[in-house]
């Protein structure tokens, strides 16, 4: 469904499991950044009433996920660490088209968001199926479903609002780029790391 070119090795869950405090902290900040991204898209594209409505719901949901992760961190006696740099996301941002028309940049920002949601969904699936911690396995299963819905929402808006971009062609370019990029990741206890 997601079209990802390279799936995460299930053994990545073992890496994540060795330092749950780190993976949970990284995950919390990923949720906060996802909310911020949705808000940014709303701010810059407020003329699209349905997008404002849907992305407001996503921003709220992402902040609810942030709170849920913080609650797990606290319950387990961990500490929410400082925000982590996300090299994976930064590489994707560099791939985004910023030149051309306003619409081209808008569509690429939606595809950027869809790509992150797709990979997060896939990573949450790996955790839900391979992590020994039953509470976290269920938690990540539930989030996997949510991320899949977000992925679909962003991709559908890109298709709806394109004026000058062949969205399916550009999405294939995103998938190809990400398939090569992700080969360098999956070795750390980070959601995208």
């Amino acid at each position: 469904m997601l079209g990802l070119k390279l799936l995460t090795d299930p053994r990545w869950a073992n890496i994540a499991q060795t330092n749950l405090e780190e993976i949970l902290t990284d995950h919390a900040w990923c949720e906060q950044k996802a909310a911020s991204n949705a808000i940014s898209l709303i701010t810059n594209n407020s003329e699209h009433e349905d997008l404002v409505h849907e992305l407001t719901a996503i921003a709220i949901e992402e902040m609810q996920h942030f709170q849920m992760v913080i609650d797990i961190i606290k319950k387990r006696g961990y500490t929410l660490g400082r925000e982590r740099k996300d090299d994976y996301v930064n590489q994707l941002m560099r791939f985004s088209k910023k030149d051309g028309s306003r619409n081209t940049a808008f569509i690429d920002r939606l595809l950027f968001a869809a790509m992150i949601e797709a990979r997060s969904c896939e990573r949450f699936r790996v955790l839900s199926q391979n992590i020994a911690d039953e509470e976290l396995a269920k938690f990540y299963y539930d989030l996997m479903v949510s991320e899949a819905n977000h992925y679909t929402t962003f991709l559908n808006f890109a298709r709806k609002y394109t004026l000058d971009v062949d969205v399916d062609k550009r999405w294939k370019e995103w998938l190809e780029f990400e398939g090569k990029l992700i080969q360098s990741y999956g070795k750390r206890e980070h959601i995208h790391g």
Side-chain angles (χ1 to χ4, degrees), residues 33-45:
K33 290 172 194 170
S36 294
N37 185 59
I39 292 166
S40 177
L41 277 161
I42 291 166
T43 302
N44 292 314
N45 303 282

Side-chain angles (χ1 to χ4, degrees), residues 107-155:
I107 298 307
D108 240 41
R109 185 67 182 260
L110 289 166
L111 295 177
F112 163 81
M115 187 80 263
I116 294 170
E117 297 288 348
R119 181 55 68 185
S120 297
C121 176
E122 191 267 345
R123 288 285 171 96
F124 292 165
R125 182 190 60 79
V126 170
L127 288 172
S128 74
Q129 293 176 350
N130 297 286
I131 200 165
D133 186 307
E134 289 183 19
E135 177 189 21
L136 289 180
K138 170 147 184 21
F139 177 65
Y140 281 112
Y141 177 82
D142 292 342
L143 290 185
M144 172 191 70
V145 173
S146 176
E147 300 297 302
N149 289 332
H150 297 172
Y151 151 79
T152 303
T153 298
F154 286 116
L155 199 54

